[in-house]
Amino acid sequence: GDSVTQMEGPVTLSEEAFLTINCTYTATGYPSLFWYVQYPGEGLQLLLKATKADDKGSNKGFEATYRKETTSFHLEKGSVQVSDSAVYFCALSGLSNAGGTSYGKLTFGQGTILTVHP
Amino acid sequence: GAVVSQHPSWVICKSGTSVKIECRSLDFQATTMFWYRQFPKQSLMLMATSNEGSKATYEQGVEKDKFLINHASLTLSTLTVTSAHPEDSSFYICSARDWLAGVGSQYFGPGTRLTVL
């Protein structure tokens, strides 16, 4: 079945440091890939997504590129801020071939806790 | 953006009682909602897929008689934990799929913390 593996955390960085959180996946077909963020006390929010190979998702300075050859979707940010402290989840959604609509079922990685210090 | 609410945000109950958790999509219609369980410092585990007007689809290993799901309208799904026991204590999260908004348009509620004494 589908699975997502994230780098183990927690990750602790100083403000303005470069961030990489690795994510690899196993899936049949052509899944869509997502990064979700969960700030303390809040629900998960979609951070960015990519729906096909070589797509780059980006939002709030975060980027991730859908690499089919390496089955990866690593999250990067050039300069983190204290406000980026949160739990980050990589996820995939199985994609049907019917018009590109997604079944919607998400498979999550284990989550990576990021703490950014001033 | 789209908002999904959950009620209650936290609940404490005695062992053997039943607890109902509501999940509402506030500004869109959701024919499909999902229920997840999140253990401390662990990932979200999909419990079931809730489809409006039909029976929920449960993931392998999830007891359908213990975790009753009802999706009676396009904006409301409920999860009832029946005869709750301490091992059912967890963080329950719902999400709602906005099919009209395209791939990835799944919005999450803030979660419900259940503690069974």
Side-chain angles (χ1 to χ4, degrees), chain B residues 53-87:
Chain B
S54 63
K55 291 183 178 180
T57 303
Y58 291 81
E59 296 299 302
Q60 192 172 9
V62 178
E63 299 177 62
K64 59 182 67 177
D65 293 331
K66 181 166 189 62
F67 298 99
L68 300 179
I69 292 172
N70 182 272
H71 193 157
S73 78
L74 288 172
T75 59
L76 173 65
S77 176
T78 60
L79 168 68
T80 301
V81 183
T82 63
S83 186
H85 288 94
E87 58 266 29

Coordinates of all heavy atoms in Angstrom, one line a residue, chain B residues 53-87:
Chain B
G53 N -25.0 10.4 3.1 CA -26.1 9.6 2.7 C -25.8 8.1 2.5 O -26.6 7.3 2.0
S54 N -24.6 7.7 2.9 CA -24.2 6.3 2.7 C -23.4 5.8 3.9 O -23.0 6.7 4.7 CB -23.5 6.0 1.4 OG -22.3 6.6 1.4
K55 N -23.1 4.6 4.0 CA -22.4 4.0 5.1 C -20.9 4.5 5.0 O -20.4 4.6 3.9 CB -22.4 2.5 5.1 CG -23.8 2.0 5.5 CD -23.8 0.4 5.6 CE -25.1 -0.1 6.0 NZ -25.1 -1.6 6.1
A56 N -20.3 4.6 6.1 CA -18.9 5.0 6.2 C -18.0 3.8 5.8 O -18.4 2.6 5.9 CB -18.5 5.5 7.6
T57 N -16.9 4.1 5.2 CA -15.9 3.1 4.9 C -14.8 3.1 5.9 O -14.1 4.1 6.1 CB -15.3 3.3 3.5 OG1 -16.3 3.4 2.5 CG2 -14.3 2.2 3.1
Y58 N -14.6 2.0 6.6 CA -13.6 1.9 7.7 C -12.3 1.3 7.2 O -12.3 0.4 6.4 CB -14.2 1.1 8.9 CG -15.3 1.8 9.6 CD1 -16.6 1.7 9.1 CD2 -15.1 2.5 10.8 CE1 -17.7 2.4 9.7 CE2 -16.1 3.1 11.4 CZ -17.4 3.0 10.9 OH -18.4 3.7 11.6
E59 N -11.2 1.9 7.8 CA -9.9 1.3 7.5 C -9.7 0.0 8.3 O -10.4 -0.3 9.3 CB -8.8 2.3 7.9 CG -8.8 3.6 7.1 CD -8.6 3.3 5.6 OE1 -7.6 2.7 5.2 OE2 -9.5 3.7 4.8
Q60 N -8.8 -0.8 7.7 CA -8.6 -2.1 8.4 C -8.1 -1.9 9.8 O -7.3 -1.1 10.1 CB -7.5 -2.8 7.6 CG -7.3 -4.3 7.9 CD -6.3 -5.0 7.0 OE1 -5.7 -4.4 6.2 NE2 -6.3 -6.3 7.1
G61 N -8.7 -2.7 10.7 CA -8.4 -2.7 12.1 C -9.2 -1.7 12.9 O -9.1 -1.7 14.1
V62 N -10.0 -0.9 12.3 CA -10.9 0.0 13.0 C -12.2 -0.6 13.2 O -12.9 -1.1 12.3 CB -11.1 1.3 12.2 CG1 -12.0 2.3 13.0 CG2 -9.7 2.0 12.0
E63 N -12.7 -0.7 14.5 CA -13.9 -1.3 14.8 C -15.1 -0.5 14.5 O -15.4 0.6 15.1 CB -14.0 -1.7 16.3 CG -12.9 -2.6 16.8 CD -12.9 -2.8 18.3 OE1 -14.0 -3.3 18.8 OE2 -12.0 -2.4 19.0
K64 N -15.9 -0.9 13.5 CA -17.0 0.0 13.1 C -18.1 0.1 14.1 O -18.9 1.0 14.2 CB -17.6 -0.5 11.8 CG -18.1 -1.9 11.7 CD -18.5 -2.3 10.3 CE -17.4 -2.4 9.4 NZ -17.8 -2.8 8.0
D65 N -18.2 -1.0 15.0 CA -19.3 -0.9 16.0 C -18.9 -0.1 17.2 O -19.7 0.3 18.0 CB -19.6 -2.3 16.5 CG -20.2 -3.2 15.4 OD1 -20.9 -2.6 14.5 OD2 -20.0 -4.4 15.4
K66 N -17.6 0.2 17.3 CA -17.1 1.0 18.4 C -17.1 2.5 18.0 O -17.4 3.4 18.8 CB -15.7 0.6 18.8 CG -15.2 1.4 20.0 CD -14.0 0.8 20.6 CE -13.6 1.5 21.9 NZ -14.7 1.4 22.9
F67 N -16.7 2.7 16.7 CA -16.6 4.1 16.2 C -17.7 4.3 15.2 O -17.5 4.0 14.0 CB -15.2 4.4 15.6 CG -14.1 4.2 16.6 CD1 -13.3 3.0 16.7 CD2 -13.8 5.2 17.5 CE1 -12.3 2.9 17.6 CE2 -12.7 5.1 18.4 CZ -12.0 4.0 18.5
L68 N -18.8 4.8 15.6 CA -20.0 5.0 14.8 C -19.9 6.3 14.1 O -19.7 7.3 14.7 CB -21.3 4.9 15.6 CG -21.5 3.6 16.3 CD1 -22.8 3.6 17.1 CD2 -21.5 2.4 15.4
I69 N -20.0 6.3 12.8 CA -19.9 7.5 12.0 C -21.2 7.7 11.2 O -21.8 6.8 10.6 CB -18.7 7.4 11.0 CG1 -17.4 7.4 11.8 CG2 -18.8 8.5 10.0 CD1 -16.2 7.2 10.9
N70 N -21.7 8.9 11.3 CA -22.9 9.3 10.6 C -22.7 10.6 9.8 O -22.2 11.5 10.4 CB -24.1 9.5 11.6 CG -25.4 9.8 10.9 OD1 -25.7 11.0 10.6 ND2 -26.2 8.8 10.6
H71 N -23.1 10.6 8.6 CA -22.8 11.8 7.7 C -24.2 12.1 7.1 O -24.5 11.8 6.0 CB -21.8 11.4 6.6 CG -21.3 12.6 5.9 ND1 -20.1 12.6 5.3 CD2 -21.8 13.8 5.7 CE1 -19.9 13.8 4.7 NE2 -20.9 14.5 4.9
A72 N -25.0 12.7 8.0 CA -26.4 12.9 7.6 C -26.7 14.1 6.7 O -27.8 14.2 6.1 CB -27.2 13.1 8.9
S73 N -25.8 15.0 6.6 CA -26.0 16.2 5.7 C -24.7 16.5 5.0 O -23.6 16.0 5.4 CB -26.5 17.4 6.5 OG -25.5 18.0 7.2
L74 N -24.7 17.5 4.1 CA -23.5 17.8 3.4 C -22.6 18.7 4.2 O -21.5 19.0 3.7 CB -23.9 18.6 2.1 CG -24.6 17.7 1.0 CD1 -25.1 18.6 -0.1 CD2 -23.6 16.7 0.5
T75 N -22.9 19.0 5.4 CA -22.1 19.9 6.2 C -21.8 19.3 7.6 O -21.1 19.9 8.4 CB -22.7 21.3 6.4 OG1 -24.0 21.2 7.0 CG2 -22.8 22.0 5.0
L76 N -22.3 18.1 7.9 CA -22.1 17.6 9.2 C -21.8 16.1 9.2 O -22.5 15.3 8.5 CB -23.4 17.8 10.0 CG -23.4 17.1 11.4 CD1 -22.3 17.7 12.3 CD2 -24.8 17.3 12.1
S77 N -20.8 15.7 9.9 CA -20.5 14.3 10.1 C -20.2 14.1 11.6 O -19.6 15.0 12.2 CB -19.2 13.8 9.3 OG -18.9 12.5 9.7
T78 N -20.7 13.0 12.2 CA -20.4 12.8 13.6 C -19.7 11.5 13.8 O -19.9 10.5 13.1 CB -21.7 12.8 14.4 OG1 -22.6 11.7 13.9 CG2 -22.5 14.1 14.3
L79 N -18.9 11.5 14.8 CA -18.2 10.3 15.2 C -18.6 10.0 16.7 O -18.4 10.9 17.5 CB -16.6 10.5 15.2 CG -15.8 9.4 15.9 CD1 -15.9 8.1 15.1 CD2 -14.3 9.9 15.9
T80 N -19.1 8.8 16.9 CA -19.5 8.4 18.3 C -18.6 7.3 18.7 O -18.6 6.2 18.1 CB -21.0 8.0 18.3 OG1 -21.8 9.1 17.9 CG2 -21.4 7.6 19.8
V81 N -17.9 7.6 19.8 CA -17.1 6.5 20.4 C -18.0 5.8 21.5 O -18.3 6.4 22.5 CB -15.8 7.1 21.1 CG1 -14.9 6.0 21.6 CG2 -15.0 8.0 20.1
T82 N -18.3 4.6 21.2 CA -19.2 3.9 22.1 C -18.5 3.1 23.1 O -17.4 2.6 22.9 CB -20.1 2.9 21.3 OG1 -19.3 1.9 20.7 CG2 -20.9 3.7 20.2
S83 N -19.0 3.1 24.3 CA -18.4 2.3 25.4 C -16.9 2.6 25.5 O -16.1 1.7 25.4 CB -18.7 0.8 25.3 OG -18.2 0.1 26.4
A84 N -16.6 3.9 25.7 CA -15.2 4.3 25.6 C -14.4 3.7 26.8 O -14.9 3.6 27.9 CB -15.2 5.8 25.7
H85 N -13.2 3.4 26.5 CA -12.2 2.9 27.5 C -11.0 3.8 27.4 O -10.7 4.5 26.4 CB -11.9 1.5 27.2 CG -13.1 0.6 27.5 ND1 -14.0 0.1 26.6 CD2 -13.5 0.0 28.7 CE1 -14.9 -0.6 27.2 NE2 -14.6 -0.7 28.5
P86 N -10.1 3.7 28.4 CA -8.9 4.6 28.5 C -8.1 4.5 27.2 O -7.5 5.5 26.8 CB -8.2 4.0 29.7 CG -9.3 3.6 30.6 CD -10.3 3.0 29.7
E87 N -8.0 3.3 26.6 CA -7.2 3.2 25.4 C -7.8 3.9 24.2 O -7.1 4.1 23.2 CB -7.0 1.7 25.0 CG -8.3 0.9 24.8 CD -8.8 0.2 26.0 OE1 -8.5 0.7 27.1 OE2 -9.5 -0.8 25.8

